[in-house]
Amino acid sequence: MARVLLFGRLADIAGWRERVVDGASLADIRTALSADPDLAEALSGKGVQVAVDKAIVRGEAALTATSEVAFMPPMSGG
Amino acid sequence: MSVTLQTEPFEPGALLTAFSAGRAETGAVASFTGLARAEQGGTDILELEAYPGLTDAEIARIALEAAGRFGLQDWLIVHRIGRIAPGEAIVFVATASAHRREAFEACDFLMDYLKSRAPFWKKSHGPDGARWIEPTDRDRTDVERWERP
C-alpha cells in the first residue's frame, strides 16, 4: 500500500493528484495504475521520474504501508 | 542559508534589507528578483507546482554546492508556488560574499539552475486556455555554461 502523488501534466491526465494504491513494490503500483491506459502511457514517457519518500529512485523499490510514491514529469524550473 | 517555498506574495526589498543587515565581514550582497510576465496578454495567471520536501531539499542541495564553489558566506532563496499574477515577484535570490565577483556569479548560477532544472511544474493560464511550460532552449544553454571545464 502506498500513497501515490502525481505532479504536473500527469495529474491532469489522470484526473487526480493523490490516491492510496495497493502494492508492495513500484511494479505493483504501475500495474494498478495501468487500469488507466492514458496514465500508463504518460508514466512510461520520456523523462518521468519516480520518488519514494521524497528521494528519487531509478528502477525498482520495495514499499511499506506508509510509503509515499511520486511520479514526476520533466521538471520545468521556476 | 535557507530555502522558502510560499504561496503568499513577498516583498523583495524587505528580504534584501533583512539579508544585508548585521554583516561586518561581507563586502558584497548580490540579489535577483524574478517577476511573472503577462506575455502580451497571453498569461493571466502562472501556476507553479512544487513537491514540498523534495523541491526545497533539491534547491538547498544545489545552493550548498554553489556556496562551496563560489565561496559564499550566506545565501537566501524564496520562491512562490501556487497562483501568481503578472507583475508579482516569483523568485528572490540573495548571495553574500567577501568580494563582489563571487556574489554575482553565485546568484547567476543559482538562477540558471532554478529556471531550468529545479523541481517545479509550471502552467500558464491565458485567454487561450491552460498549457504546461517546459524550459526554453535559452534556459538550457544558460545552465550549461556552468558545466564547461
Side-chain angles (χ1 to χ4, degrees), chain B residues 9-41:
Chain B
F10 60 81
E11 212 284 283
L15 293 176
L16 181 59
T17 299
F19 183 79
S20 305
R23 296 188 178 278
E25 297 300 331
T26 294
V29 170
S31 75
F32 176 88
T33 303
L35 308 179
R37 278 194 309 265
E39 306 284 9
Q40 279 82 43

Side-chain angles (χ1 to χ4, degrees), chain B residues 41-134:
Chain B
T43 298
D44 299 326
I45 287 285
L46 201 61
E47 186 180 349
L48 205 59
E49 188 180 7
Y51 183 7
L54 183 140
T55 300
D56 38 339
E58 186 63 12
I59 293 172
R61 189 177 67 78
I62 298 292
L64 288 171
E65 178 193 317
R69 176 171 172 174
F70 299 100
L72 294 182
Q73 296 170 335
D74 197 5
W75 52 270
L76 171 68
I77 298 172
V78 178
H79 213 299
R80 286 281 301 279
I81 53 175
R83 296 170 74 84
I84 302 147
E88 290 184 356
I90 183 166
V91 59
F92 177 84
V93 174
T95 52
S97 57
H99 302 284
R100 69 183 179 282
R101 185 62 49 208
E102 293 78 4
F104 273 135
E105 290 195 347
C107 194
D108 198 12
F109 169 91
L110 287 170
M111 275 313 305
D112 283 344
Y113 162 74
L114 286 166
K115 285 295 292 181
S116 60
R117 293 186 183 161
F120 291 105
W121 298 276
K122 190 160 50 174
K123 198 181 204 177
S124 160
H125 296 264
D128 299 328
R131 65 184 182 93
W132 291 100
I133 302 175
E134 305 265 310

